[in-house]
Amino acid sequence: APDLVVHVHHGAERSWGVEFRETVAASDLVVTTYALLARDAADLASIPWRRVVLDEAQNVKNPESKQARAARTLHARSRVALTGTPVENRLSDLWSLMEFLNPGLLGTADTFRRTFSAPIERTRDEEAAGRLRRLTQPFVLRRLKTDRRIVPDLPSKQEMKVFCTLTKEQATLYEAVVNEMLARIEAVSGMERRGLVLSTLLRLKQ
C-alpha cells in the first residue's frame, strides 16, 4: 500500500502532545515499538484509533507488565493481535491477549485462574478446556502450516530424533556442578537459594 501516509513514532525527536495528535490526524498508519507504547502511554491513549494491531503480541503476555497495561488503555474501534505463540508458558498468557482484544470476555485474572488455568494445567480438565475453546474460538483465526493455500511451496515437516550423549569430560563436569550446588544449597534459603538454583541451571545448560 504505497499510497498510505505512514508515521513512525520513534526516536528522541518524536512528537508529543498537540503536535503528536496533529501528526496522527494527518497519517493513515502509525508504527511504534512496545517500549514506546509503555513510555508514551498517555499520548497514545489520547487518540481515538480506528484500529490497533499488535504484531508479535506475545510481548503483552504478562498482564502486569507496563506494555500490557499500556496496550489495554488504547481506545480503538477494533483490535487485532498477531502471534505465533499465543500461549508460551501458561494459560494466563492467553488471558492477557484476550483481555486486550476483548476486555472482560474471560472475566478477571483471578476468575480465569480459578475457572480455567488451575483445572486445565493441574488436572487436565477436558470440560474446562472445552469451555475455554468455545469462548475464544470465534475470535481466533489460526493459520496452519498444513494449509497448502497459504504457503503452497512449503515442504512437509520432517522430524528426526537424534540422541546426543555427553562425552566423558562433559558428564564429569556436569556432575561436579550438580554436586557443588547440592553442597551449597543446604546453607542458603529464600531468594538466595532460588538464585543459586537458577544460576546452576544456566551453567548446566552451557
Side-chain angles (χ1 to χ4, degrees):
D3 54 321
L4 290 183
V5 178
V6 180
H7 169 64
V8 179
H9 182 69
H10 191 259
E13 304 301 313
R14 65 187 184 277
S15 54
W16 311 80
V18 175
E19 185 189 349
F20 174 68
R21 287 192 288 275
E22 288 173 351
T23 303
V24 169
S27 306
D28 297 310
L29 183 68
V30 176
V31 182
T32 192
T33 65
Y34 283 102
L36 289 180
L37 169 62
R39 199 173 303 155
D40 297 352
D43 271 329
L44 292 164
S46 70
I47 306 292
W49 303 100
R50 188 174 302 151
R51 180 175 296 115
V52 171
V53 179
L54 297 187
D55 191 22
E56 299 295 344
Q58 66 273 11
N59 280 285
V60 298
K61 69 178 181 181
N62 178 357
E64 298 306 315
S65 68
K66 285 182 180 177
Q67 46 206 39
R69 289 203 301 265
R72 293 197 296 269
T73 66
L74 299 174
H75 303 285
R77 283 191 234 163
S78 64
R79 298 176 176 199
V80 177
L82 305 168
T83 176
T85 47
V87 178
E88 273 193 310
N89 301 315
R90 53 189 67 86
L91 273 179
S92 59
D93 299 351
L94 179 64
W95 180 85
S96 187
L97 280 178
M98 293 306 295
E99 187 63 13
F100 162 76
L101 290 167
N102 209 330
L105 176 74
L106 299 178
T108 64
D110 286 337
T111 303
F112 182 79
R113 202 172 296 115
R114 283 194 313 273
T115 311
F116 298 110
S117 290
I120 294 170
E121 291 175 345
R122 290 180 193 163
T123 62
R124 303 282 183 212
D125 187 323
E126 287 296 328
E127 186 190 345
R131 276 187 286 122
L132 179 59
R133 200 176 294 113
R134 285 191 297 276
L135 273 170
T136 56
Q137 210 163 25
F139 307 102
V140 177
L141 182 63
R142 189 174 175 208
R143 185 183 73 179
L144 299 173
K145 286 182 180 176
T146 52
D147 189 343
R148 291 288 175 213
R149 293 171 301 169
I150 296 167
V151 192
D153 58 342
L154 188 71
S156 298
K157 185 177 179 181
Q158 293 183 17
E159 291 186 19
M160 291 189 310
K161 288 183 181 178
V162 180
F163 296 96
C164 304
T165 55
L166 298 177
T167 65
K168 189 174 181 180
E169 184 185 5
Q170 289 170 331
T172 305
L173 197 60
Y174 194 95
E175 193 174 1
V177 171
V178 171
N179 291 337
E180 181 193 346
M181 183 201 71
L182 292 174
R184 289 176 59 197
I185 207 166
E186 297 300 324
V188 295
S189 60
M191 287 302 291
E192 192 178 350
R193 186 176 185 140
R194 289 179 66 186
L196 177 60
V197 171
L198 289 172
S199 64
T200 302
L201 287 172
L202 180 62
R203 286 176 66 194
L204 292 174
K205 283 194 286 185
Q206 289 171 339

